[in-house]
Amino acid sequence: MGETESKKTESEAKVTADQNSTSPTKSEHEHDHAHHDHRGCPAHILKEAMASQKDEKIEEESTFSQIRSYIILLIFAAITYATYPGATWGNRGLEPNIHTVFYYGWISAISTGFGVLPLCFISEMKPYWIGVSNAIAAGMMCAASYSLFMEGCTFHEAGDTSTLSSTARTVIGLGLGLLFILGTKSFLEQNEDVKVGSLSGADTRKILLIVFVMTLHSFSEGVGIGVSFGGEHGHDLGVFISASLAVHNVPEGLAVAIVLLPRKVSKVTAAIWCVVTSLPQPLMAVPAYMFVHSFLPLLPVGLGFAGGAMMWVAFMELLVEAYEDTDMVTTGIASTLALAVMLQIQQSIDEHA
């Protein structure tokens, strides 16, 4: 009898232990509640992306996708050769035309792809260095945003007929840029099954967000190229602005590449994406040159728009993920150094203007 009661007691204790192990504790309930309350914040989205990367092995880019990238690269080379303006290249004092304006804008866009070159010597990046890379990209984007804001606030051209100050128009553009990027982010979150090449889910949402922002930035740069060719200094100023942007686009391409390559995107495909973010430069340069007086009043709005969107992504996406992969000190040092170097490069370009 005593033996039976002993076994019964042990059985009840085992059942109780099983129930305790399967039942969530109070702290777990609180954690789940907090988890659901913060589903909309960028930190949660980034953690979700990182968790999915840990749970699911990121697939290498398919051979078909790489072949397609090489074909696109050949098309870019063919366009570069076919649109070469011949004797007009480098000749001073010549009147610009649509052909030359497009070509200089195209060369500026193609230079973005060279941002991949420094990463060609790296086979695989560990999570820590991915975080450092994200911090560097954030610093570069912050520097670009600052330059856009300053250029918009200090914008002054003789043909600018707007009654609003350039600062007010830049601030309006900043607000519109933030609204646009938040709307874009919300749209991408609602379409979780979106797939681009070898990227899918949270990876694609993040990549598309960054590509959208860098592309928006290129719209204002394209307008800047067209306006410079259509201004009073004509060809000489347009060539200088295009060359300056070409140099400036290389580190911007690097910022895009260091976000793409850890997602198992090939270097050729990463270069294609870098160029895609700058394609608005030749496309917007031509109409801006043809209708220079119509585009001038809108240029500060475009600069503020691109700067606001880029600043949001730098702070709310890249820096948060960099902190998750590294720590506060590493993220701060890497982003600050990248910011300082980019500002120094831009200052050097301005001094030679």
Side-chain angles (χ1 to χ4, degrees), residues 17-310:
D18 291 340
Q19 289 177 348
N20 289 337
S21 64
T22 56
S23 300
T25 63
K26 181 179 178 181
S27 61
E28 287 173 337
H29 275 301
E30 291 174 351
H31 175 76
D32 289 342
H33 179 69
H35 175 80
H36 289 292
D37 283 348
H38 294 83
R39 286 190 63 84
C41 72
H44 172 79
I45 296 168
L46 289 170
K47 287 178 181 178
E48 186 183 64
M50 293 170 65
S52 65
Q53 289 179 17
K54 292 177 182 178
D55 295 339
E56 299 179 7
K57 185 178 179 181
I58 301 176
E59 296 181 0
E60 295 283 350
E61 186 175 358
S62 66
T63 304
F64 173 77
S65 179
Q66 294 186 41
I67 293 174
R68 180 176 56 192
S69 297
Y70 279 109
I71 293 174
I72 295 174
L73 198 63
L74 290 175
I75 292 174
F76 285 168
I79 293 174
T80 304
Y81 177 79
T83 57
Y84 177 65
T88 62
W89 178 266
N91 288 349
R92 300 173 60 86
L94 290 178
E95 287 294 326
N97 54 46
I98 294 176
H99 186 187
T100 55
V101 170
F102 174 85
Y103 189 78
Y104 280 105
W106 176 256
I107 291 298
S108 178
I110 289 296
S111 67
T112 314
F114 289 102
V116 179
L117 291 180
L119 302 177
C120 289
F121 306 99
I122 301 176
S123 58
E124 186 175 353
M125 296 178 69
K126 296 181 178 179
Y128 177 84
W129 293 110
I130 293 175
V132 173
S133 298
N134 283 326
I136 293 172
M140 290 179 173
M141 293 179 73
C142 286
S145 298
Y146 173 78
S147 297
L148 290 169
F149 291 142
M150 290 301 297
E151 186 177 349
C153 291
T154 59
F155 177 77
H156 177 73
E157 284 287 341
D160 187 3
T161 57
S162 176
T163 56
L164 287 175
S165 67
S166 58
T167 300
R169 282 175 283 168
T170 303
V171 172
I172 291 173
L174 167 63
L176 293 175
L178 291 175
L179 289 175
F180 177 85
I181 203 65
L182 289 173
T184 302
K185 177 175 170 291
S186 176
F187 171 79
L188 292 175
E189 289 174 1
Q190 293 172 7
N191 294 269
E192 297 184 356
D193 57 343
V194 64
K195 183 177 177 64
V196 178
S198 60
L199 301 172
S200 60
D203 277 333
T204 308
R205 295 199 300 273
K206 180 183 176 183
I207 296 303
L208 289 180
L209 192 64
I210 294 174
V211 168
F212 280 160
V213 169
M214 300 302 284
T215 304
L216 288 173
H217 167 227
S218 296
F219 272 95
S220 59
E221 290 183 340
V223 172
I225 292 174
V227 168
S228 64
F229 273 106
E232 54 182 312
H233 300 290
H235 185 271
D236 293 339
L237 179 61
V239 170
F240 174 78
I241 294 298
S242 301
S244 300
L245 285 175
V247 174
H248 173 74
N249 283 346
V250 175
E252 288 187 353
L254 175 62
V256 175
I258 61 180
V259 176
L260 281 169
L261 291 182
R263 273 80 187 173
K264 303 297 183 181
V265 175
S266 69
K267 295 175 177 62
V268 175
T269 302
I272 299 298
W273 277 110
C274 292
V275 174
V276 167
T277 63
S278 293
L279 285 182
Q281 291 180 13
L283 299 179
M284 292 301 297
V286 172
Y289 165 73
M290 296 173 63
F291 307 101
V292 60
H293 296 293
S294 300
F295 275 87
L296 277 176
L298 297 175
L299 189 54
V301 178
L303 293 170
F305 187 98
M310 190 178 297

